[in-house]
Amino acid sequence: MTAPAHALTPTAPRTPYVYRRRALEEPDWTRFPGWRAVTAAEWRSAQWQRSHCVKSVRDLRALLGDLLDTCVYDDLQADQDKQATMSLLIPPQMLNTLMPHARPAGPGSLSEAFRTDPVRRYMLPLASDRHPDRPSHPMAARDSLHESEMWAVEGLTHRYPNKVLAELVSTCPQYCGHCTRMDLVGNSTPTVAKTRFTLRPADRTEAMLAHLRASPGIRDVVVSGGDVANVPWPRLEAFVDRLLDLDHIRDIRLASKALVGLPQHWLAPDVLDGLHRLAARAARQDVSLALHTHADAAQSVTPLVAEAARAVLAAGLRDVRNQGVLLAGVNDSAEALLDLCFALLDGAGVMPYYFYLCDMIPQSEHWRLPLGRAQELQSELMGHLPGFATPRLVCDVPYLGKRWVHQAAAYDRVTGISRWEPSTTGARFTDTGDTGEFLYYDPLHTLPPEGRRWWDRHTA
């Protein structure tokens, strides 16, 4: 199915990145009409943030009024009605990082800044963002990583030999348009009826723990969802406590984009008190307890995010790490990625860890980058950050798992098909369905004309 790999095309030299330490900024939320009366105490309240999320175009219009042209609202509504794989749910904290330097100056004055904002591009997709001819790759899939096929029990993905992913909840405090778990997470949209867990939460948790007790070869548990910030704290603490009862579990990672989108949650006294208890026990048992978050643009890393990250570290967690996604128009330049990495590292004490190629979910072609561009970006990052803080750019290959972008065994730049080899210590689950190979595919609109014609012939 693949053709011989083609040589790299020489690219023009780029302007060298110049490091300058930049102070983090918390934009003034009162610049938006709907938040003019919001107090600092309300803004710091997780409960206020959750209850004032933007959940619809009508909510956004109530916040911004005529600062956006009507055609922008119509564009957003058209996407929600016909193409969106995720419903709208954005906390004020995240929404406030849009257009941080734009100042309202009358009707329509924020329209252009809104359309071009990098955070807007993935949190509030517009119909006009989607690729007009090829919005989805022919090989796209709702569960693009086939995680549900790898459930040892419902919600417990056992893809790798010694680590598992525990999905405790199928909701988040905010929904990213490019969500890799769009098949399961969030509310159904007009075009996507979501898969649902069938077991009650308590029964699902018991089944997970039973599998872990019976599997002494597992040492690493990622506790995720959805987002663990949507798990009531007593339930989350009890689950992690029971993981700590298992002597063979040596690494526990809590996954929460809410550190960036809703830092108020992680600053809540009951959450920090609980983290202190868990971290103290983990330290006594020499278990690594860490938090993984998800920031894609430097402007999302604000002083409040930094305060929450440092509070989590002060509670005793070993590390806070960032796992972002490479997205066209958001962070597809070395400058944007380095700005983000330095904001995380210098400003918030968060370790840049991974940047994933956007997974092959439906309606994602306009976000996805070709593998060759990711390889260039990895090379462009080298030498700017300390080695321990240089993020790895990875492709999460369906059925196989994470691979560094330079690990492709073969890469045809005409068809955009890359082939990946399993290793002796790689993925536990190796059933590739009908293909018999581990393949990833570049977005079709980035291919040369002969590559697009090849796909037209093979998908007619």
Side-chain angles (χ1 to χ4, degrees):
M1 192 173 183
T2 59
H6 288 246
L8 284 172
T9 302
T11 56
R14 294 181 172 86
T15 303
Y17 181 85
V18 177
Y19 169 79
R20 292 186 181 86
R21 186 172 182 186
R22 296 173 175 85
L24 302 183
E25 298 178 71
E26 199 79 53
D28 176 14
W29 59 85
T30 65
R31 73 192 191 280
F32 294 151
W35 291 335
R36 281 184 182 144
V38 176
T39 67
E42 287 173 320
W43 193 260
R44 289 184 66 92
S45 164
Q47 182 178 356
W48 185 91
Q49 289 278 331
R50 288 182 186 270
S51 63
H52 289 81
C53 287
V54 166
K55 301 177 182 179
S56 66
V57 176
R58 182 176 61 183
D59 289 347
L60 186 67
R61 192 187 292 269
L63 173 65
L64 297 178
D66 65 1
L67 296 177
L68 297 183
D69 292 327
T70 298
C71 62
V72 179
Y73 294 117
D74 292 344
D75 202 353
L76 180 58
Q77 187 65 59
D79 191 72
Q80 283 292 299
D81 291 343
K82 298 177 181 178
Q83 292 174 288
T85 61
M86 300 298 292
S87 60
L88 293 184
L89 182 66
I90 311 175
Q93 172 71 31
M94 175 64 79
L95 197 54
N96 191 44
T97 67
L98 272 68
M99 310 172 286
H101 302 118
R103 290 295 174 265
S109 58
L110 296 186
S111 295
E112 182 61 23
F114 182 84
R115 282 189 178 278
T116 59
D117 187 85
V119 175
R120 195 283 306 161
R121 286 184 183 275
Y122 64 93
M123 294 303 300
L124 287 159
L126 302 175
S128 60
D129 294 337
R130 311 280 182 182
H131 195 276
D133 303 316
R134 304 174 187 269
S136 301
H137 195 280
M139 302 304 292
R142 287 174 47 140
D143 181 7
S144 61
L145 302 180
H146 307 279
E147 288 181 332
S148 64
E149 297 175 38
M150 305 175 199
W151 282 352
V153 299
E154 187 178 73
L156 187 72
T157 301
H158 192 171
R159 175 165 58 167
Y160 299 103
N162 58 3
K163 56 185 174 180
V164 295
L165 168 74
E167 297 168 280
L168 291 193
V169 66
S170 61
T171 62
C172 299
Q174 69 284 304
Y175 293 137
C176 309
H178 63 281
C179 180
T180 186
R181 297 198 180 104
M182 52 74 56
D183 184 54
L184 175 70
V185 170
N187 303 316
S188 294
T189 70
T191 56
V192 179
K194 299 299 177 90
T195 301
R196 295 297 177 211
F197 288 135
T198 59
L199 295 176
R200 295 186 307 125
D203 294 338
R204 194 166 64 252
T205 297
E206 290 301 325
M208 291 178 182
L209 290 165
H211 178 78
L212 293 172
R213 281 194 297 271
S215 307
I218 296 173
R219 67 171 303 280
D220 184 350
V221 179
V222 178
V223 186
S224 183
D227 191 312
V228 296
N230 270 22
V231 181
W233 180 259
R235 181 181 159 218
L236 179 59
E237 184 173 356
F239 182 76
V240 176
D241 248 332
R242 295 180 72 182
L243 293 179
L244 290 168
D245 289 338
L246 305 176
D247 184 63
H248 57 282
I249 303 299
R250 310 312 301 160
D251 271 287
I252 300 171
R253 292 175 273 171
L254 307 178
S256 177
K257 183 171 182 173
L259 187 74
V260 174
L262 187 66
Q264 293 85 349
H265 170 83
W266 292 101
L267 286 167
D270 63 323
V271 173
L272 289 176
D273 288 346
L275 285 177
H276 273 281
R277 290 189 293 270
L278 291 175
R281 183 181 178 191
R284 290 194 302 270
Q285 298 176 202
D286 292 323
V287 174
S288 173
L289 179 63
L291 179 70
H292 283 196
T293 193
H294 175 182
D296 291 325
Q299 68 200 59
S300 297
V301 186
T302 73
L304 201 55
V305 171
E307 183 183 345
R310 296 190 187 281
V312 167
L313 290 169
L317 270 67
R318 173 175 174 171
D319 214 344
V320 179
R321 307 180 186 112
N322 185 65
Q323 298 187 144
V325 179
L326 293 173
L327 299 166
V330 176
N331 54 23
D332 54 345
S333 70
E335 181 179 12
L337 288 174
L338 288 167
D339 283 349
L340 172 55
C341 289
F342 285 122
L344 291 164
L345 191 63
D346 296 348
V350 175
M351 187 69 64
Y353 181 35
Y354 281 142
F355 284 101
Y356 292 82
L357 280 166
C358 183
D359 291 323
M360 294 181 55
I361 56 169
Q363 303 292 335
S364 66
E365 288 296 88
H366 67 291
W367 281 309
R368 295 201 309 120
L369 299 181
L371 175 65
R373 180 59 187 140
Q375 292 173 339
E376 292 174 351
L377 287 168
Q378 182 72 85
S379 297
E380 291 169 19
L381 294 183
M382 302 304 291
H384 288 282
L385 291 148
F388 62 83
T390 299
R392 295 172 179 174
L393 273 54
V394 295
C395 180
D396 211 344
V397 183
Y399 289 109
L400 185 59
K402 291 183 287 294
R403 290 294 185 271
W404 298 354
V405 293
H406 284 89
Q407 283 187 282
Y411 180 26
D412 182 348
R413 291 171 180 269
V414 172
T415 63
I417 301 173
S418 51
R419 182 172 58 80
W420 306 76
E421 296 287 354
S423 66
T424 56
T425 58
R428 169 181 171 273
F429 191 100
T430 56
D431 181 4
T432 61
D434 296 332
T435 67
E437 296 182 283
F438 299 100
L439 303 175
Y440 186 81
Y441 307 90
D442 286 352
L444 298 187
H445 67 272
T446 66
L447 303 179
E450 59 267 36
R452 295 195 293 273
R453 289 194 294 269
W454 186 94
W455 277 100
D456 287 340
R457 290 196 303 273
H458 285 78
T459 56

